[in-house]
Amino acid sequence: MGLWAHSACALCARVETAETAEEARADGRAREEWSRRRDATSRGRTDGRRMVVGVPPYGARGGGGSGGTTTTAAWAPRERGAFGLGGAFPEVGVVQFPCGMGWCAKGGIDGDGDDVGEAPGCLEMGFEKLSETAARRAFDEETTTREYEGFLRHVRLWARRAKREMESDGDWWSACARVGALERSEWVRRVRNVGAEELEAALVAGEGEPLVIEDGGKDWDTWTLDRFKSEIGSFFVSVNDRAPARRSDVPKQRTHQLRFDTFVDYVASRDGSLEDLEFDDKRVPFYANGMRVFSDPNLGEKLSRAFPRPRFTATCDHTETIIRELMNQLGANAETTRNVEVNVSKSLDKLFCGPKGTITRLHYDAQDAHGWLGQAVGWKLFVLYPPSAGRLLHPIEDSHGGVDPLNPTECERFPSFAQATPRVCVLAPGEVLVNPRGWWHYAVSLTSSVTVMRNFYHATTNAAALVDMILDSAKKAKVGERRDGDTNLSRTVRVEASPVASRRVASLG
């Protein structure tokens, strides 16, 4: 059946089943208007310089789903004239280019490629399919980065060393952490059944001390990468070839979006034996870093049950208590307090996923936050430096280190870097790294990897940073008012919140 005939039948069916005469008359008028536009189009009538193209009435346009492709029977603005002088049709789930907007004659949608000519009216696909297509093209491009090249050099040196050492003690992972630029590194201390006092000292004493808690994930479910794929499925993720992003990057970070299950297929395609050095040295891997799946209403509870916060956090993670005390001082009601508590706390829980060779470049966490990172799948190498070493790491853009810890030639570019002594660890599945505030850290996946991560706040060390963060948000949202009319609310709360939270935490103990 032709396009016009098919759509006309659909309209007739609506008239026959209309519940009221008024609805029938409205449908009839819409059908007449559509017929008028169709006839005008078939005669090639023009208004000024722009062709008038027949457009079905609202409610009869179809156009496919947001994630798939259109069908030949569904109407879509395939001709540029369909837009007239107006904008896109939001009810039609395809990518559209009204008046050519969003299209570049060089390369089409991304403006980087061959001459492709004038924009079409639309593409025969929705945004989700377009995003996946663009991501797949990026995955195939032969592009690399300085930090990925540094990792490849390091891992090949490691493999040569490991081959010799495995003949004696089989310590493959230790060899990874103590070669090349990490030759002088020190091990991060490992503990089990960590006590409250030991953990408190790690966060409070001096600059703090990172710890590997070997049984930190003992309450976690054992999920494979395929299990993550099936559970998270259609969740739309952003993936990057450099992380974290930096304004000074050359080349710039490339970012694409696609479904998580599609991304896991890509991760699996880059899998292989680390020992046999099966690396793609021409294509830097993409990384789903900082996924906020714990905040998703459909996924958050499921993931929180599978990967609960480690038991040791009960003695050091005061985030939610600080929030409650602060909101009380702000005069917020119980509902607002609970919403802020839940939303802020969940926003600090994140997931990281990528193939081997995905890198988190050297940085320290913003907002003066402590953090813990635990391996759910695979192995990951971490390199850490204390806050006092920051000046030796060529700091750039506030919280970023300009050096690559795995590149031995960095000492030639930055001679002071040679004075910095790294601490290293390799996390296995179920192990958790506690990273105190201000500690610089770098990470690289040694296998396909999934990491669970949380930033947190402690009443006597970094509560003020959380207070500042929430106050800034509360000011924008105008959450609550000081009941005594104090106009110096920000100053007052900043002074009071940390001690109040500290007393509250102490009373709970």
Side-chain angles (χ1 to χ4, degrees):
M1 183 181 295
L3 175 62
W4 299 111
H6 176 87
S7 302
C9 288
L11 279 179
C12 290
R14 288 186 59 202
V15 171
E16 292 171 0
T17 57
E19 294 182 0
T20 67
E22 180 58 33
E23 290 177 354
R25 285 192 294 272
D27 279 342
R29 289 193 296 271
R31 181 175 56 185
E32 292 173 2
E33 174 63 15
W34 186 10
S35 297
R36 184 187 66 78
R37 293 188 183 184
R38 179 197 60 190
D39 294 342
T41 301
S42 63
R43 293 193 301 269
R45 183 174 61 82
T46 61
D47 286 349
R49 61 183 178 83
R50 187 175 298 275
M51 176 70 72
V52 176
V53 177
V55 177
Y58 187 83
R61 293 170 185 164
S66 61
T69 59
T70 63
T71 64
T72 56
W75 183 87
R78 296 178 176 85
E79 301 296 330
R80 293 185 62 179
F83 300 104
L85 295 176
F89 299 90
E91 72 278 15
V92 181
V94 295
V95 179
Q96 303 169 46
F97 305 98
C99 302
M101 290 188 295
W103 183 268
C104 181
K106 293 289 187 181
I109 58 172
D110 58 12
D112 183 21
D114 297 330
D115 190 339
V116 293
E118 187 179 78
C122 68
L123 300 180
E124 298 293 323
M125 64 180 71
F127 174 76
E128 187 175 297
K129 185 67 176 178
L130 174 64
S131 297
E132 179 184 329
T133 301
R136 289 183 182 277
R137 188 176 74 172
F139 295 161
D140 289 336
E141 290 178 1
E142 293 189 0
T143 303
T144 188
T145 62
R146 189 169 68 90
E147 57 270 18
Y148 183 57
E149 291 171 351
F151 166 70
L152 293 178
R153 286 194 295 271
H154 179 87
V155 79
R156 284 166 180 147
L157 178 61
W158 158 36
R160 290 195 293 270
R161 172 78 62 86
K163 186 175 181 180
R164 296 194 302 268
E165 294 189 1
M166 285 176 67
E167 295 174 357
S168 58
D169 60 14
D171 194 357
W172 174 263
W173 300 116
S174 296
C176 166
R178 302 293 291 276
V179 299
L182 304 181
E183 192 81 47
R184 299 180 299 102
S185 63
E186 300 175 356
W187 291 113
V188 175
R189 186 159 63 93
R190 291 176 164 267
V191 297
R192 298 181 68 87
N193 299 315
V194 64
E197 292 183 2
E198 186 175 17
L199 192 57
E200 182 84 5
L203 297 177
V204 176
E207 294 186 299
E209 179 193 10
L211 296 174
V212 172
I213 302 178
E214 295 181 333
D215 56 352
K218 63 184 177 182
D219 297 323
W220 289 356
D221 290 352
T222 302
W223 282 17
T224 63
L225 193 58
D226 282 340
R227 177 71 183 275
F228 274 99
K229 174 183 175 180
S230 64
E231 295 289 350
I232 298 178
S234 62
F235 186 81
F236 222 53
V237 298
S238 294
V239 297
N240 312 288
D241 66 343
R242 310 188 85 171
R246 295 174 179 173
R247 295 186 298 274
S248 58
D249 276 341
V250 178
K252 291 293 185 183
Q253 178 196 66
R254 294 181 297 161
T255 299
H256 291 276
Q257 295 179 314
L258 71 168
R259 288 168 53 113
F260 181 75
D261 49 10
T262 303
F263 179 67
V264 171
D265 291 338
Y266 161 75
V267 172
S269 74
R270 293 188 63 118
D271 211 349
S273 171
L274 187 67
E275 295 89 337
D276 293 336
L277 299 181
E278 295 178 2
F279 284 90
D280 186 339
D281 57 4
K282 295 182 179 179
R283 298 171 180 84
V284 61
F286 278 76
Y287 191 18
N289 59 303
M291 296 165 51
R292 298 187 182 274
V293 287
F294 289 91
S295 299
D296 184 83
N298 298 318
L299 299 173
E301 286 302 316
K302 176 169 54 178
L303 287 167
S304 295
R305 287 193 301 269
F307 300 96
R309 295 169 192 167
R311 295 184 187 184
F312 66 79
T313 62
T315 65
C316 67
D317 186 346
H318 306 149
T319 305
E320 291 168 0
T321 301
I322 295 168
I323 294 172
R324 288 194 296 271
E325 294 300 322
L326 173 60
M327 297 307 291
N328 181 57
Q329 289 189 54
L330 287 170
N333 60 38
E335 181 181 2
T336 299
T337 296
R338 180 58 181 164
N339 287 339
V340 172
E341 176 188 340
V342 170
N343 292 335
V344 171
S345 187
K346 282 185 176 293
S347 73
L348 301 174
D349 296 317
K350 301 166 189 172
L351 202 70
F352 297 73
C353 177
K356 62 186 178 187
T358 44
I359 295 168
T360 300
R361 294 184 287 183
L362 189 63
H363 72 289
Y364 64 83
D365 289 345
Q367 279 89 40
D368 202 32
H370 301 298
W372 58 259
L373 305 102
Q375 281 303 104
V377 174
W379 281 259
K380 183 174 282 190
L381 167 67
F382 287 85
V383 183
L384 303 98
Y385 298 89
S388 58
R391 61 183 178 82
L392 306 175
L393 307 178
H394 188 57
I396 58 175
E397 301 179 19
D398 300 325
S399 60
H400 297 268
V403 298
D404 177 1
L406 300 193
N407 190 340
T409 66
E410 294 292 71
C411 293
E412 299 173 7
R413 299 176 62 221
F414 310 108
S416 62
F417 179 50
Q419 303 173 38
T421 301
R423 299 194 192 185
V424 298
C425 63
V426 175
L427 289 191
E431 295 183 337
V432 176
L433 169 66
V434 176
N435 185 54
R437 62 174 179 161
W439 273 75
W440 299 80
H441 50 286
Y442 164 103
V444 58
S445 300
L446 304 177
T447 64
S448 296
S449 169
V450 178
T451 305
V452 181
M453 180 264 187
R454 175 171 171 81
N455 285 124
F456 66 92
Y457 292 87
H458 179 264
T460 62
T461 58
N462 62 345
L466 178 60
V467 169
D468 284 345
M469 182 172 66
I470 296 176
L471 282 175
D472 289 342
S473 298
K475 183 178 180 181
K476 294 175 183 177
K478 298 181 180 180
V479 176
E481 295 182 358
R482 186 74 167 185
R483 279 167 286 193
D484 60 6
D486 185 356
T487 58
N488 296 315
L489 176 61
S490 296
R491 177 182 58 79
T492 303
V493 174
R494 281 182 170 86
V495 171
E496 295 178 359
S498 183
V500 168
S502 301
R503 292 194 296 272
R504 177 60 177 159
V505 171
S507 70
L508 292 176

